[in-house]
Amino acid sequence: MAAHIRRRLRKGATTTAVAAAAVAALAASQAPAATLADGSAGSGDPKAAGEDTASGETDGAATGNSPYYTDLPPLVTPDRPGSSSGLPAAGSAEAGIPASVLAAYKQAERTVATTDPSCRLPWQLLAAIGKVESGQARGGRVDANGTTTSPILGPALNGQGFALIKDTDGGAYDGDSVHDRAVGPMQFIPSTWASWGQDANGDGRKDPNNIYDAALAAGRYLCANDRDLALAADLDQAVLSYNRSTEYLRTVRSWYSYYQRGTHEIPDGTGTLPSSPSTPTPSPRPGTGSGSSATPSPKPSPSKPGGKPSPDPTKPGGGGSTSPTPKPPTPKPTPPSETFGSLENAGTGPLRATAGQAFDERVSVRARNALGAPLAKVPVTFTVTGDTGTLFAGGKKTVMVRTGADGTATAPELQAGEKAGEFTVTAVAGTGRPRTLTYAATVTARQADAIARTDEKALVAAPGEKFADAVTVEATYKDAAAAGVAVTATMVKDRLGVIDNDKGPYFKDADGKPVRTLTGLTTDDEGQLRLPEIFADDNEGTYLLRLTTEGGASVVIELTVKAPEETTPEEPAETPDATETPAATKP
């Protein structure tokens, strides 16, 4: 063990000096180096720079040697040399790392420090690789969970300038069922992700497009084979395991050194995107040596002191011209004052209304920029979701409103539908990484605080017959007719309706069968309700019918079942026989 440690220390000391000199020269020249040949080392066990082999159909690099950004950091570092603590709150735009991306790198460092402390993984190395691979997830365009708002995919690894890697995931990660592509902010090829993928954000998925998952996977991949990343030789091997190119190593090393000198957090979506992708270089034939090709590439020569070197005529688009290829302009970052930062509730209260009525509250949101100030002219889309029939004024389920000078946008008035229940109103604003607010709302049934019969006529029926007189009631709310109020009618044994009755008067359902409870009854526009016909069974007595409304109003009505009284017919008075001769009267 002691001998092993001494060997690693000697290796580290030697390589540290070499690497330091290389980085210093690179920082001074800002010029890229030649690429290494594609290697065929196994996953997680790349060969050193001097051990190149010819490309095969597969490649041991995590990215499959996909293209990467070759932009180098500014010559002026963001903080004093040698400092990696006390990071500034502001500085060069290139020193800014989007908040979620920076958090993912630091979380990965802490996690690996717990599970593999001897690796000594620095988050700045993850930041350097993330910068070179995807421009920090395309400037931090990720959602609240850290997932990129759109997939980040490399070109098809079809052997045309890249490694030839046939499909290994059925297109599950990269959408390509013919060849593999590098995927996500850390640009893993699917076969490598299958071995190294992580679930760092705890959502139950290993997603290469999630910066937390990808950063932890990258950290553990770099630490493979007992590497100690505090040793320069091990760090170089780790970086080369990502992409077997000396230019790639030097570019990553430059950003690593730059970030070690200081960086700062910026809002997601506001990062500076690199502008110079790498151009693939054909792999050398076996035996040609490290970093060389079968035909040596001519060295670029500057046209004048301080000028840019002439392009390599052997590279695509070079054409042997001595004129430098114009570099596309770097897009200017959007000022924080114009960058969408957040969407918040602007004081919307509880959303409740009675069926058919207008809501007293209106949904209101406020947009803020990256500095927290109100942001005007932001389009906000409000959408009603649910089956209560509620709509915005004008009969629309979706409306768009732009924020005013104070950053607020207020949706039109909501009109409750006729069906009681819950629904939601969703406010969405922003592109790329939309911000969303969801409000819960409730429609209550129409209510009545009183219900009574419209007459006081006794309701009587003979056994087995129906009641001749219909029952009509009227519901009111605050002394006004309550239209559309739901009413339940139940035959009960007590006036409080605690016990239902299973004998006596009854209604009939659609099939003509006896029922003693009716629901779904509703008052008309005048607040009145005429009950269906009521029938009596063979049991005589006085029974109770209880009507209740939404809102708790109730009325109890007596129903009497009795047989009609029998009457004895009167005997008719005797009348004299018409043939009988009346007695003679005395004179």
Side-chain angles (χ1 to χ4, degrees):
M1 176 63 73
H4 173 67
I5 294 175
R6 284 196 297 274
R7 284 196 300 272
R8 296 191 72 168
L9 289 175
R10 285 198 299 272
K11 178 179 66 173
T14 302
T15 312
T16 299
V18 174
V23 171
L26 178 64
S29 68
Q30 298 284 279
T35 57
L36 280 175
D38 293 338
S40 57
S43 178
D45 187 20
K47 296 184 179 182
E51 299 174 335
D52 294 314
T53 61
S55 287
E57 288 196 357
T58 61
D59 197 288
T63 66
N65 292 341
S66 291
Y68 54 89
Y69 290 111
T70 60
D71 289 18
L72 295 171
L75 290 176
V76 179
T77 56
D79 198 3
R80 60 186 183 280
S83 173
S84 60
S85 61
L87 302 180
S92 165
E94 290 292 355
I97 300 178
S100 294
V101 179
L102 181 59
Y105 297 150
K106 292 184 176 181
Q107 176 177 297
E109 180 191 62
R110 292 192 299 269
T111 301
V112 173
T114 301
T115 59
D116 188 6
S118 63
C119 175
R120 294 191 282 184
L121 169 72
W123 66 262
Q124 292 91 341
L125 179 59
L126 295 174
I129 291 176
K131 178 71 173 180
V132 173
E133 291 295 346
S134 68
Q136 310 297 19
R138 290 180 179 156
R141 287 168 174 79
V142 296
D143 63 19
N145 294 321
T147 302
T148 57
T149 53
S150 59
I152 300 177
L153 297 174
L157 298 174
N158 55 12
Q160 304 299 314
F162 312 112
L164 173 61
I165 305 180
K166 295 181 179 179
D167 175 64
T168 61
D169 65 332
Y173 292 119
D174 55 14
D176 191 331
S177 58
V178 179
H179 297 97
D180 273 350
R181 298 169 181 259
V183 182
M186 302 304 280
Q187 288 289 277
F188 279 96
I189 55 175
S191 57
T192 306
W193 183 258
S195 300
W196 293 92
Q198 303 291 316
D199 175 19
N201 66 345
D203 64 356
R205 298 177 60 230
K206 296 178 181 180
D207 185 357
N209 287 299
N210 181 276
I211 185 59
Y212 290 96
D213 294 357
L216 181 57
R220 288 184 167 155
Y221 181 89
L222 294 168
C223 289
N225 299 305
D226 298 322
R227 294 191 187 102
D228 179 354
L229 299 182
L231 302 178
D234 281 8
L235 188 145
D236 288 350
Q237 283 192 351
V239 174
L240 287 169
S241 74
Y242 233 83
N243 192 310
R244 292 186 53 75
S245 160
T246 54
E247 177 186 343
Y248 180 83
L249 172 62
R250 292 176 186 178
T251 305
V252 169
R253 273 285 197 171
S254 296
W255 283 107
Y256 174 50
S257 176
Y258 182 74
Y259 287 142
Q260 281 186 311
R261 293 172 180 264
T263 184
H264 59 277
E265 178 184 302
I266 60 175
D268 289 346
T270 63
T272 301
L273 291 177
S275 59
S276 299
S278 66
T279 301
T281 301
S283 302
R285 295 175 181 175
T288 58
S290 170
S292 63
S293 60
T295 303
S297 300
K299 295 182 179 179
S301 58
S303 57
K304 59 181 179 179
K308 295 184 179 179
S310 300
D312 187 342
T314 64
K315 292 188 175 182
S321 171
T322 58
S323 300
T325 302
K327 182 178 179 180
T330 302
K332 295 182 179 180
T334 304
S337 60
E338 299 176 11
T339 302
F340 195 169
S342 64
L343 189 67
E344 62 186 37
N345 185 357
T348 306
L351 297 171
R352 301 191 192 96
T354 301
Q357 304 298 313
F359 282 74
D360 293 333
E361 286 285 331
R362 294 169 63 182
V363 179
S364 184
V365 299
R366 177 176 288 106
R368 296 188 182 276
N369 62 22
L371 300 177
L375 190 60
K377 298 181 180 179
V378 174
V380 181
T381 301
F382 297 92
T383 303
V384 173
T385 303
D387 61 356
T388 64
T390 301
L391 299 169
F392 291 111
K396 297 181 179 179
K397 295 193 80 170
T398 300
V399 295
M400 191 277 284
V401 181
R402 292 185 180 273
T403 58
D406 61 351
T408 62
T410 301
E413 183 180 68
L414 284 165
Q415 184 73 27
E418 289 297 334
K419 185 177 179 181
E422 296 182 349
F423 67 97
T424 60
V425 179
T426 303
V428 180
T431 57
R433 184 191 171 194
R435 276 63 163 181
T436 302
L437 286 178
T438 300
Y439 299 81
T442 303
V443 175
T444 59
R446 296 173 184 260
Q447 298 184 358
D449 54 17
I451 185 171
R453 285 188 66 191
T454 56
D455 61 65
E456 297 181 357
K457 188 174 181 179
L459 299 169
V460 182
E465 301 293 334
K466 70 177 180 181
F467 287 79
D469 297 310
V471 177
T472 303
V473 294
E474 181 180 16
T476 56
Y477 182 71
K478 296 182 179 179
D479 298 327
V485 174
V487 179
T488 300
T490 306
M491 301 297 176
V492 295
K493 290 185 177 181
D494 61 292
R495 288 187 171 270
L496 294 178
V498 176
I499 304 174
D500 292 353
N501 208 337
D502 58 357
K503 64 179 181 179
Y506 60 88
F507 303 102
K508 287 184 179 181
D509 63 13
D511 296 327
K513 296 180 179 180
V515 293
R516 291 184 168 84
T517 298
L518 287 181
T519 59
L521 304 173
T522 307
T523 60
D524 61 20
D525 292 342
E526 296 180 354
Q528 293 192 357
L529 169 65
R530 182 186 176 95
L531 295 181
E533 291 180 326
I534 303 175
F535 300 86
D537 62 9
D538 295 332
N539 298 291
E540 295 189 28
T542 300
Y543 298 91
L544 302 177
L545 168 62
R546 191 169 191 265
L547 304 179
T548 57
T549 70
E550 290 289 342
S554 65
V555 62
V556 176
I557 300 170
E558 290 187 356
L559 301 172
T560 302
V561 179
K562 69 176 182 178
E565 296 181 0
E566 293 185 3
T567 57
T568 303
E570 297 181 1
E571 294 183 3
E574 293 184 4
T575 56
D577 190 347
T579 61
E580 183 179 345
T581 303
T585 57
K586 294 181 179 181

